[in-house]
């Protein structure tokens, strides 16, 4: 009896402990990209399932009520983004993508702040323990979090954007760090390094002046805030949707935590006709999908013909997510549909290869299930993902400009080799081998911020002055006597060395540019 009474007291104490640590969490996700919210939604639902009170601002309210989960819906305020980009690659398209992102960053901020239910949050002085928000194309949500007096957990559905490095105190070096919008991976050519230096600095500056500063002005109409760049440096933790066995090691501070993989759901039964098509395949099935943001039907006709010609020569069956009703030649070994349960298909044991655009979700699901990939990147972070995928051994990549029947057939035969597939399964096991699951890690760090809201664990590099970061004061001091000596020599010889000294300074500036530091940043003198 005594033991039972003590056991009951322990149970009550444990329940009380859980109740005390239940957090009031605000999720702010003002970007209307469906594929982005597809990543965050399982995490938000899991927070609610673990007894936290979760309020979510987004364009994607829950279809069925969930306990502890409350929506502030932005649905209907703007068009949901799906299938909006052409299958094309050029600097012009890249500039259009940058412009598109910053335009949406401004528009989303306006929609967020104009919403009456959002305004009620700060007008009623609602208290939140943590604000979790996407770190993407706008910092508007950081202003809202500041007004509410809550610490921030940032989240990504991809690798870091170029303008995120400085705020987190991460040194960007184009010699070995990918620029997600371009090719090259960790072994870039000289031209690719030059490309990265220019584009990294260009889009960082464009973001600061065409989006972040505009967001500040938009917020100031409602309430006063410090600069958004300062608020960005005060983000307590960033949950980054990557994992190093595929994405490669990175020099991240301890408040940047890799949590790639938590969106992958438990597999479900396939539709009967699709299941029959897959399970009756004698040599396995190849899955082709280019995601939700690309229209496969707008792919150039010669590229479509090349894909059809290549797969027609293989004994495998093909399941293809395709916007059209037919393919050229109407191949008999292909199952077509404009919607397919991708994760469930990739989980099937008959699936032997995945031909993809290399979006982060698709790449994550492929490594989760150990399926070899052919990556054909088109826009956004896909080039960087494809390079990382190939370097890790998960698959191979092919650029759309190089796509022919012969090149694709060769790539397919490479990943269909039994030894290649065995190594991918081995890599998948390494990817899964973690101290805790991706979801548990994401939840832990969210709760950690809620418990330690008065502490900040950012890298000192995020706030060190620019001249100190590049040793400019030390170099100036050390270079002073040499300059004086050189000037004395000039007087004796009549030969000017000032051009040499100026060249040294110019070289220093170029070296600074190669670090990817924004020379227009808040730390600049």
């Amino acid at each position: 009896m005594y033991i039972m009474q003590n056991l009951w007291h322990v149970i009550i104490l444990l329940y009380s402990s859980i109740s005390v640590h239940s957090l009031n969490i605000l999720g702010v996700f003002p970007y209307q990209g469906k594929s982005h919210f597809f990543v965050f939604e399982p995490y938000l639902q899991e927070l609610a399932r673990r007894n936290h009170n979760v309020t979510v601002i987004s364009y994607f309210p829950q279809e069925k009520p969930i306990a502890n989960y409350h929506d502030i819906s932005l649905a209907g305020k703007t068009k949901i983004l799906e299938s909006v980009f052409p299958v094309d690659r050029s600097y012009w398209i890249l500039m259009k993508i940058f412009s598109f992102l910053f335009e949406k960053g401004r528009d989303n901020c306006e929609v967020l702040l104009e919403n009456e239910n959002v305004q009620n949050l700060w007008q009623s002085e609602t208290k939140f323990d943590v604000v979790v928000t996407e770190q993407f194309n706008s910092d508007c949500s950081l202003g809202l979090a500041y007004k509410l007096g809550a610490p921030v957990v940032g989240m990504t559905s991809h690798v870091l954007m170029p303008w995120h490095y400085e705020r987190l105190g991460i040194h960007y070096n184009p010699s070995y760090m990918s620029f997600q919008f371009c090719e090259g991976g960790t072994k870039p050519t000289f031209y690719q390094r030059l490309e990265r230096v220019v584009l990294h600095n260009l889009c960082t500056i464009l973001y600061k002046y065409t989006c972040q500063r505009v967001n500040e002005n938009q917020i100031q109409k409602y309430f006063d805030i410090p600069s958004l760049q300062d608020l960005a440096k005060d983000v307590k933790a960033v949950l980054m949707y990557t994992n190093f066995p595929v994405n490669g090691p990175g020099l991240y501070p301890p408040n940047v935590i890799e949590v790639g993989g938590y969106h992958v759901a438990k597999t479900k039964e396939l539709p009967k006709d699709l299941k029959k098509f897959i399970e009756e395949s004698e040599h396995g099935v190849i899955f082709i999908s280019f995601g939700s943001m690309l229209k496969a039907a707008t792919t150039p006709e010669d590229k479509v013909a090349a894909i059809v010609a290549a797969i027609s020569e293989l004994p495998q069956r093909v399941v293809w997510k395709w916007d059209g009703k037919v393919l050229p030649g109407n191949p008999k070994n292909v199952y077509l549909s404009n919607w397919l349960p991708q994760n469930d298909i990739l989980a099937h044991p008959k699936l032997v290869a995945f031909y993809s655009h290399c979006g982060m979700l698709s790449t994550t699901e492929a490594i989760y299930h150990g399926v070899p990939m052919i990556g054909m990147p088109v826009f956004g972070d896909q080039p960087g993902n494809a390079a990382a995928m190939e370097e890790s051994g998960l698959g191979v990549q092919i650029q759309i400009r190089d796509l022919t029947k012969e090149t694709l057939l060769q790539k397919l035969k490479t990943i269909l080799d039994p030894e290649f597939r065995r190594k991918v399964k081995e890599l998948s096991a390494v990817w899964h081998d973690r101290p805790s699951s991706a979801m548990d890690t994401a939840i832990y760090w969210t709760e950690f911020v809620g418990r330690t809201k008065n502490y900040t664990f950012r890298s000192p590099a995020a706030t060190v002055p620019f001249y100190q970061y590049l040793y400019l004061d030390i170099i100036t001091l050390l270079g002073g006597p040499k300059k004086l000596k050189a000037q004395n020599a000039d007087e004796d010889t009549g030969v000017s060395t000032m051009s040499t000294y100026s060249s040294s300074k110019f070289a220093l500036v170029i070296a600074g540019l190669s670090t990817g530091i924004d020379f227009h940043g808040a730390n600049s003198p």
Side-chain angles (χ1 to χ4, degrees):
M1 182 69 176
Y2 178 78
I3 294 175
M4 291 300 295
Q5 285 178 337
N6 278 292
L7 180 60
W8 180 247
H9 284 308
V10 170
I11 292 172
I12 292 175
L13 285 171
L14 286 173
Y15 180 80
S16 299
S17 175
I18 292 171
S19 299
V20 167
H21 290 97
S22 177
L23 300 174
N24 194 27
I25 299 173
L26 176 65
V28 187
F29 299 91
Y31 180 64
Q32 65 270 42
K34 190 173 183 179
S35 62
H36 287 228
F37 195 75
F38 189 78
V39 172
F40 307 129
E41 188 174 35
Y43 157 83
L44 296 166
Q45 292 173 343
E46 183 65 15
L47 283 171
R49 193 188 71 79
R50 297 195 189 192
N51 206 41
H52 297 298
N53 186 58
V54 182
T55 302
V56 179
I57 305 170
S58 78
Y59 288 91
F60 307 97
Q62 296 298 300
E63 295 181 0
K64 297 180 180 179
I66 297 176
N68 303 322
Y69 190 112
H70 318 283
D71 280 304
I72 295 179
S73 177
L74 304 177
K77 299 298 182 180
T78 190
K79 183 180 178 181
I80 300 303
L81 299 177
E82 286 188 287
S83 304
V84 296
F85 293 104
V87 181
D88 193 12
R89 298 259 315 268
S90 68
Y91 289 129
W92 172 243
I93 293 294
L94 190 56
M95 291 302 105
K96 288 178 68 176
I97 290 173
F98 289 159
S99 177
F100 170 84
L101 290 178
F102 304 151
E103 177 188 355
K104 293 304 175 186
R106 298 188 298 268
D107 293 346
N108 295 155
C109 186
E110 198 67 42
V111 170
L112 176 69
L113 296 172
E114 286 179 347
N115 186 279
E116 290 185 8
N117 291 322
V118 174
Q119 291 179 7
N120 287 338
L121 294 178
W122 76 71
Q123 290 171 356
S124 63
E125 299 183 349
T126 306
K127 299 299 181 184
F128 291 97
D129 298 300
V130 180
V131 170
V132 295
T133 185
E134 181 174 14
Q135 293 280 276
F136 183 48
N137 66 332
S138 171
D139 288 320
C140 191
S141 57
L142 302 184
L144 176 60
Y146 173 81
K147 179 64 175 177
L148 296 172
V152 176
V153 173
M155 305 189 72
T156 77
S157 60
H158 42 69
V159 298
L160 296 175
M161 301 299 281
W163 45 89
H164 291 157
Y165 286 89
E166 180 189 355
R167 66 179 58 177
L168 295 170
I170 300 172
H171 173 80
Y172 178 76
N173 190 318
S175 298
Y176 60 88
M177 296 174 72
S178 289
F179 182 74
Q180 67 262 48
F181 299 101
C182 298
E183 301 168 25
T186 63
K187 301 175 179 64
T189 64
F190 174 81
Y191 179 80
Q192 288 168 339
R193 284 186 286 125
L194 176 63
E195 183 179 57
R196 292 175 185 187
V197 169
V198 173
L199 291 176
H200 179 93
N201 282 280
L202 175 62
C203 66
T204 299
I205 292 169
L206 287 175
Y207 173 75
K208 186 178 295 292
Y209 290 103
T210 68
C211 186
Q212 191 181 61
R213 295 287 175 87
V214 177
N215 286 166
E216 287 179 4
N217 293 332
Q218 291 171 309
I219 297 169
Q220 295 285 0
K221 295 177 183 178
Y222 298 90
F223 47 81
D224 293 330
I225 59 166
S227 77
L228 285 177
Q229 187 67 359
D230 287 343
L231 294 180
K233 292 176 182 179
D234 199 39
V235 169
K236 304 299 183 182
V238 173
L239 305 179
M240 185 169 62
Y241 208 68
T242 61
N243 193 27
F244 68 88
V246 170
N247 299 100
L251 302 175
Y252 305 122
N255 66 333
V256 177
I257 303 102
E258 292 190 296
V259 293
Y262 65 70
H263 89 275
V264 184
K266 292 182 180 179
T267 55
K268 301 175 183 177
E269 189 79 8
L270 292 170
K272 288 183 179 180
D273 59 335
L274 177 58
K275 182 179 180 181
K276 184 174 185 292
F277 180 84
I278 291 175
E279 293 189 346
E280 289 181 354
S281 60
E282 182 181 352
H283 302 283
V285 172
I286 298 168
F287 179 44
I288 302 177
S289 174
F290 300 115
S292 63
M293 295 290 284
L294 293 169
K295 282 189 176 181
T298 61
T299 306
E301 291 183 6
D302 61 321
K303 303 303 181 183
V304 177
I307 297 173
V308 172
I311 61 178
S312 297
E313 293 196 9
L314 295 173
Q316 285 81 17
R317 288 186 173 184
V318 176
V319 175
W320 194 339
K321 181 179 179 292
W322 182 250
D323 299 299
K325 295 181 179 180
V326 295
L327 288 169
N330 195 24
K332 302 300 181 184
N333 66 331
V334 179
Y335 180 102
L336 289 180
S337 178
N338 61 4
W339 180 88
L340 289 164
Q342 177 170 293
N343 183 55
D344 303 328
I345 293 171
L346 291 172
H348 198 284
K350 285 274 191 175
L351 212 287
V352 295
F354 182 24
Y355 183 16
S356 167
H357 62 312
C358 265
M360 185 59 80
L361 274 69
S362 296
T363 306
T364 300
E365 290 169 8
I367 186 61
Y368 187 98
H369 297 296
V371 179
M373 295 184 73
I374 293 179
M376 189 173 73
V378 178
F379 77 100
D381 62 345
Q382 295 163 17
N385 295 341
M389 174 272 298
E390 186 170 58
E391 289 184 9
S392 72
L394 175 57
V396 297
Q397 59 175 321
I398 184 171
Q399 305 304 326
I400 191 167
R401 62 177 178 271
D402 302 325
L403 177 60
T404 63
K405 169 191 169 183
E406 292 74 23
T407 56
L408 180 57
L409 200 56
Q410 185 270 324
K411 300 285 185 180
L412 284 166
K413 289 179 178 178
T414 296
I415 66 171
L416 290 170
D417 180 82
E419 179 61 15
F420 193 100
R421 292 174 58 206
R422 183 194 68 78
K423 290 181 178 178
V424 168
K425 291 293 185 184
E426 189 177 84
L427 178 64
S428 177
V430 172
W431 184 89
H432 280 281
D433 192 355
R434 317 183 195 189
S436 60
S437 71
M439 181 66 80
D440 285 344
T441 302
I443 299 294
Y444 169 81
W445 284 104
T446 305
E447 294 171 340
F448 176 85
V449 170
R451 293 192 301 267
T452 62
K453 62 181 68 178
N454 295 325
Y455 294 85
T456 298
F457 301 99
R458 65 171 173 247
S459 167
T463 55
V464 69
F466 172 79
Y467 71 91
Q468 291 182 18
Y469 191 90
L470 285 183
Y471 324 119
L472 297 182
D473 51 345
I474 295 175
I475 292 172
T476 300
L477 177 64
L478 295 177
K482 293 181 181 179
K483 180 180 178 182
L484 181 60
K485 184 177 180 181
Q487 286 176 330
N488 291 336
D490 292 346
E491 294 173 0
D492 295 335
T493 63
V495 178
S496 174
T497 59
M498 287 303 292
S499 60
T500 303
Y501 185 71
S502 297
S503 297
S504 299
K505 288 198 292 184
F506 178 76
L508 179 63
V509 171
I510 294 300
L513 276 171
S514 70
T515 67
I517 297 173
D518 177 6
F519 277 69
H520 295 76
N523 296 338
S524 301

